[in-house]
Amino acid sequence: MKKRFLFVLFALILTDSFAQEICNNNIDDDGDRLIDLYDVEDCPCTRMDTFKISLIPNPSFENTNCIPTGYSQLNCADGWSQATTATSDLLSSNSFSGNLASSSSIPDGSNYVGTVFLEDWMEYVGTCLNGPLLAGQSYLLKFNVASISNYAVWEADFSSVSVNLTLFGSTTCGSFPLPTTVCPESFGWKELGKISYSMRKEWNTVYLFFTPQEDIYSVMLGGECGFVNPSYNDLAGGIVYIFWDNLQLNLAEKEVIYYVPNTFTPNGDQHNNTFNPVFVCGYDPLEYRFDVYDRWGELVFTSMDAGTGWDGTYQGLPAKEGVFGWKLEYKAEDTSEKKVLTGHANLLR
């Protein structure tokens, strides 16, 4: 009788541990180390499903097991670890922000992370993934980023300073933190991709495409190996401090990825001087048209080239500040259907 009971109990445990995959709960239900839409055999859904879930757990740092009360408390965010002994900071508009909160609203929720970039003290954020990045597959990491130089010069403009935001990966989900305050490559971590970023206090959206050459089970984000401190004068004596939020990591499909700014400032300061949609991937450049209209419906600008935007002039003269309407026509690479979108944007000087 006892043997029969143990056999039934063992069978129930196996059934419970390796159940059918539920395709929208961010859990590996069937124990095959693949989650939701990345379990392609059990979830044969398209990547356009509305419940696409980031391979990075807790991507906006909103789920916490403690409230940050000071610097170096990233471990308060569920699923996240201090990637190295150079400790990064969990910041929150509801608790500890260290007087570093961005001047614009936080992109997703109330929490975000801050990391210092120095030659001998490079802070990274690290996590084990919900499912592996498969060798030879292309992926897209989309995230929000903002930055300052130091705590005393928040209002200064450091946009002339550029840094490479870098993604590293490991073929294992090992223990954190790595015993280093600099580059993780000497511990077997490999650079998966990087993108140049000009420092700005406003939150921006960044897209990083990459294709790993090996299966990757954990990642970390921070500065590139061989980082050199910007000059003292460029940073007004401060340091590079980068904010991260809303880290969405998914397969890079042939869907059209773009965004249209809602404000532009053609004032000649080398930033945000033209207005146009920004296409990341997936569109047919030969099937593109962008029109801008004034408040009376008069056409003030037309472009058939996604790389050419409106400079804020009409008939050779600067247009007045105000709200302008726009219409965008485009076609995806792999379809014959044209899309037409409309919206409004503010011209500020």
Side-chain angles (χ1 to χ4, degrees):
M1 182 68 181
K2 182 178 179 180
K3 290 183 178 179
R4 182 181 178 185
F5 171 77
L6 291 175
F7 174 79
V8 172
L9 178 61
F10 181 67
L12 288 174
I13 291 173
L14 283 178
T15 302
D16 184 63
S17 300
F18 302 102
Q20 181 178 356
E21 182 73 14
I22 299 172
C23 297
N24 63 350
N25 65 351
N26 204 21
I27 296 173
D28 179 15
D29 303 284
D30 58 3
D32 62 0
R33 297 192 300 174
L34 297 172
I35 292 178
D36 296 348
L37 297 183
Y38 297 92
D39 195 341
V40 294
E41 291 186 0
D42 299 304
C43 299
C45 306
T46 69
R47 292 298 184 273
M48 298 301 290
D49 285 343
T50 57
F51 54 80
K52 181 193 292 184
I53 297 174
S54 177
L55 280 170
I56 290 179
N58 195 11
S60 295
F61 313 100
E62 294 304 305
N63 298 328
T64 58
N65 51 55
C66 56
I67 298 174
T69 57
Y71 297 111
S72 303
Q73 296 183 16
L74 176 62
N75 287 5
C76 281
D78 289 340
W80 288 95
S81 303
Q82 298 290 3
T84 68
T85 50
T87 54
S88 47
D89 311 315
L90 178 64
L91 306 171
S92 175
S93 61
N94 293 331
S95 55
F96 177 76
S97 65
N99 297 320
L100 301 174
S102 172
S103 60
S104 55
S105 59
I106 299 168
D108 190 25
S110 58
N111 297 343
Y112 55 108
V113 166
T115 56
V116 168
F117 281 34
L118 287 171
E119 290 179 37
D120 57 354
W121 187 267
M122 181 64 68
E123 297 177 354
Y124 294 92
V125 292
T127 185
C128 291
L129 297 170
N130 286 328
L133 306 177
L134 303 179
Q137 290 272 20
S138 295
Y139 293 87
L140 168 65
L141 175 62
K142 173 184 175 183
F143 59 95
N144 298 113
V145 62
S147 55
I148 60 172
S149 171
N150 67 7
Y151 317 150
V153 289
W154 172 254
E155 295 302 328
D157 180 14
F158 301 102
S159 56
S160 62
V161 177
S162 295
V163 297
N164 283 326
L165 306 179
T166 308
L167 177 69
F168 293 89
S170 173
T171 56
T172 65
C173 185
S175 60
F176 293 109
L178 300 181
T180 183
T181 60
V182 290
C183 174
E185 286 187 339
S186 60
F187 295 89
W189 287 71
K190 297 183 178 181
E191 181 184 303
L192 299 177
K194 61 186 176 184
I195 188 166
S196 179
Y197 164 71
S198 297
M199 291 181 61
R200 298 183 65 181
K201 63 184 178 180
E202 297 84 9
W203 286 99
N204 289 272
T205 302
V206 174
Y207 301 87
L208 176 59
F209 289 89
F210 64 97
T211 303
Q213 302 306 305
E214 301 174 275
D215 291 355
I216 299 297
Y217 288 83
S218 52
V219 295
M220 67 169 72
L221 274 164
E224 67 179 329
C225 294
F227 175 82
V228 177
N229 295 339
S231 73
Y232 184 90
N233 291 332
D234 286 342
L235 292 175
I239 59 176
V240 175
Y241 196 90
I242 303 292
F243 302 115
W244 312 82
D245 195 19
N246 197 20
L247 306 167
Q248 299 295 325
L249 175 57
N250 287 284
L251 281 168
E253 298 296 319
K254 289 186 177 180
E255 57 187 293
V256 179
I257 300 175
Y258 70 94
Y259 68 96
V260 183
N262 57 17
T263 301
F264 79 114
T265 56
N267 53 14
D269 66 353
Q270 298 184 345
H271 299 289
N272 205 23
N273 279 314
T274 58
F275 172 57
N276 58 285
V278 178
F279 279 84
V280 179
C281 67
Y283 81 105
D284 183 349
L286 299 179
E287 297 288 345
Y288 171 92
R289 179 186 174 106
F290 183 61
D291 297 328
V292 179
Y293 301 86
D294 64 19
R295 68 185 64 186
W296 297 281
E298 185 173 356
L299 182 67
V300 298
F301 174 77
T302 295
S303 175
M304 310 295 285
D305 176 12
T308 302
W310 183 39
D311 63 1
T313 63
Y314 178 53
Q315 295 181 347
L317 298 174
K320 294 182 179 180
E321 287 191 344
V323 178
F324 289 79
W326 56 264
K327 182 172 75 170
L328 168 64
E329 300 180 28
Y330 73 90
K331 185 179 76 66
E333 288 180 332
D334 54 355
T335 71
S336 59
E337 180 185 3
K338 282 192 175 182
K339 300 286 187 180
V340 179
L341 301 175
T342 59
H344 295 85
N346 294 304
L347 187 158
L348 302 176
R349 296 192 183 276

